[in-house]
Amino acid sequence: MIVDLAIYLGCAFLLAGAAFSLLAAIGVLRLPDLYTRMHAASKAGAVGGGLILLAVALVSFDGTVALRAIIAVAFLLLTTPVSAHLLARASHRGGYQPGVKTEIDDLKSKSEQTPSA
């Protein structure tokens, strides 16, 4: 009974993770500029990868594999937003401008306040 529940829940997590990963890939292909593409890849990609790793943790029935998968989820959720932010900031400093539909440019207003930063 518990094993069947874990398998069904793992399959549900796997399908949800695959759907989020697909949405991230579609976002990378369809969104207009670097920053929105990076947003899609970092948000939906991290959730998709995290759900797939949780599915692995549930279906493996091995404590060490489950622990590694949970640690990998924590690492993914900690590092993906930070790396996306650093890449976006480096791109902005490198002169890549946001698309025309972007109404708020927080980094531009901060760089105007402190030109040496």
Side-chain angles (χ1 to χ4, degrees), residues 46 56 73:
V56 168
V73 169

Side-chain angles (χ1 to χ4, degrees), residues 2 7 12 17 62 85 105 111:
I2 297 292
I7 289 175
D62 186 4
H85 175 76
D105 187 1
S111 64

Side-chain angles (χ1 to χ4, degrees), residues 30-80:
R30 297 286 309 220
L31 290 174
D33 65 351
L34 172 77
Y35 302 107
T36 54
R37 289 177 187 160
M38 193 178 309
H39 177 79
S42 64
K43 303 298 184 215
V47 172
L51 286 173
I52 290 171
L53 285 169
L54 284 179
V56 168
L58 280 175
V59 177
S60 67
F61 301 112
D62 186 4
T64 58
V65 173
L67 181 64
R68 287 182 199 156
I70 291 171
I71 289 172
V73 169
F75 181 76
L76 190 67
L77 292 178
L78 287 174
T79 58
T80 303

